[in-house]
DNA sequence: CAGTGGTCTAGACCACTCC
DNA sequence: GAGTGGTCTAGACCACTGT
């Protein structure tokens, strides 16, 4: 069998193989994975090695396993903490509500000094910019302004974001190594308030997120939420033995 | 050797053995652990089993390992994401600034219906309540209102919180299994604005946190931050192969 | 019952570090 | 060189689920 990379551990190759199938949608949530025995035969490796790969996927929340039944692609990606917000579309649909993504802009612009610094480019270089409004039952809940590094995602402008919102497109196509979140409370500008159909006196949650692949910046995005219609949450169950406070 | 629990997996017994030595201070940060070979001899089990225990301790951030050198007790626990805010005192001191905790109230009160529901008690039952103001270089940065379950933390009222803030006291004394965070953007009430020496028109970040031990609620706390003086952040490096968005 | 995952063994080879 | 951890094998026994 061919090697993807020089001497990547066998268990890691199995993990990548399965992760890819999940990520690109070949194996949707709830889909049953091949059994350990089948993977042993398929990869020509020992069961302990397959078992380690699957155990680590469980730890990462990618799959769930039931002894005597099988292994399945995990339903939700509770991810950790703030990542939940990345998938506002599925979150809204999960509540049984209508979701709509309205594109206000998709364009190529010259990077301002700020944006250039954030994306580690030179000012004036070409970057992709998008502005879109996410609606829950036609009520605006998030104004998303995004800059994307064209070196990493050259096809960004060609996508139909009304079918697949920018965040989901990036999730499915760009692997990342690092993610940074900042959360602020702000008052909206007049223009933002108008897009969000809210008062300028009402506070908003502002989530700023940057992601990297290797050490290359991929995207910088600011998500503005009327606080009365959106809150950020996370539930965490302990693995080890940390403490409360 | 004696068994702690009936038929706990061998690798889990090794993990517990090591975790206990770390937690009770027998093995301080940086201390060198026995080698895999020594643990094999000590427990009379195979090396794969010892190896699994040690790998999982690495995943949990308890220890670090260097091939060719040895295994060592990990230095600090940076914790993940939002938990950072739990330790506002050390965070402020880490910036080289003065930290002060001013107690505005420490008392026993009858649980309102809301608080009773949050803590899973009956309305009117006795609960502990504290209100304190955290200052950075004498500037208020967090107004912390907290309710504590007296069944879990009976000695809460007797503590000197100016020496050790409530969050740190709980961190050090109550193990937890679950933690829930909610983040809102709000405008402060007149009273809150006065405590925080801010305008009522300026937005605040409101962090609400609940913790459980087993399934028993321990504490419910609301931390109010002037957004101009505080933002919430998290940096995350991927372990597996998740995606960006 | 056959199939699944959970665990465990007793070896093995390798790359690495320290002396 | 001896010691360390990183990985891997080819078996094994068990408890559990489904039919």
């Amino acid at each position: 069998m061919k090697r993807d990379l020089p001497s990547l551990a066998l268990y890691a190759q199995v993990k990548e193989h399965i992760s890819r199938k999940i990520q690109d949608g070949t194996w949707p949530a709830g889909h049953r994975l091949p059994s350990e025995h089948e993977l042993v035969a398929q990869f020509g490796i020992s069961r302990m090695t397959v078992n380690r790969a699957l155990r680590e996927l469980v730890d990462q929340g990618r799959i769930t396993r039931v002894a005597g039944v099988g292994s399945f692609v995990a339903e939700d990606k509770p991810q950790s903490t703030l990542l939940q917000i990345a998938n506002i579309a599925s979150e809204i649909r999960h509540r049984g509500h209508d979701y709509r993504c309205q594109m206000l802009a998709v364009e190529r612009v010259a990077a301002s000094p700020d944006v250039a610094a954030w994306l580690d480019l030179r000012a004036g270089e070409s970057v992709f910019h998008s502005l879109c409004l996410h609606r829950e039952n036609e009520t605006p809940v998030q104004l998303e302004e995004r800059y994307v590094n064209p070196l990493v995602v050259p096809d960004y402008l060609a996508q139909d974001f009304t079918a697949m919102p920018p965040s989901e497109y990036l999730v499915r196509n760009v692997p990342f190594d690092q993610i940074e979140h900042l959360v602020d409370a702000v008052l909206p500008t007049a223009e933002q308030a108008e897009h969000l159909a809210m008062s300028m006196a009402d506070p908003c949650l502002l989530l700023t997120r940057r992601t990297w692949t290797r050490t290359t910046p991929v995207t910088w995005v600011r998500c503005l939420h009327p606080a009365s219609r959106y809150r950020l949450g996370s539930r965490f169950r302990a693995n080890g033995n940390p403490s409360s406070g």
Side-chain angles (χ1 to χ4, degrees), chain A residues 85-179:
Chain A
I85 208 173
N87 217 339
I88 188 171
S90 67
E91 190 182 318
I92 288 172
R93 293 200 183 99
H94 200 269
R95 284 197 285 267
H97 291 173
D98 284 336
Y99 167 77
R100 189 160 69 89
C101 174
Q102 176 186 0
M103 300 306 298
L104 303 174
V106 186
E107 55 194 349
R108 176 191 300 266
V109 299
S112 69
D114 271 4
V115 170
W118 281 317
L119 288 179
D120 199 19
L121 301 171
R122 278 186 296 274
E125 274 192 282
S126 180
V127 297
F128 299 150
H129 172 255
S130 62
L131 182 67
C132 72
L133 190 58
H134 301 269
R135 294 171 184 271
E136 176 166 9
N137 287 345
E138 293 306 316
T139 302
V141 292
Q142 179 188 114
L143 182 63
E144 172 197 321
E145 179 164 30
R146 183 184 293 270
Y147 292 90
V148 173
N149 189 336
L151 303 177
V152 180
V153 198
D155 299 333
Y156 186 72
L157 295 184
Q159 305 309 311
D160 175 13
F161 293 125
T162 59
M164 185 187 286
S167 63
E168 191 173 351
Y169 170 74
L170 291 172
V171 162
R172 287 182 184 268
N173 290 280
V174 186
F176 83 86
D177 303 302
Q178 274 191 57
I179 185 166

Side-chain angles (χ1 to χ4, degrees), chain A residues 2-13:
Chain A
K2 85 170 203 275
R3 300 217 166 180
D4 309 44
L5 286 174
S7 71
L8 181 62
L10 293 177
Y11 77 89
Q13 291 181 37

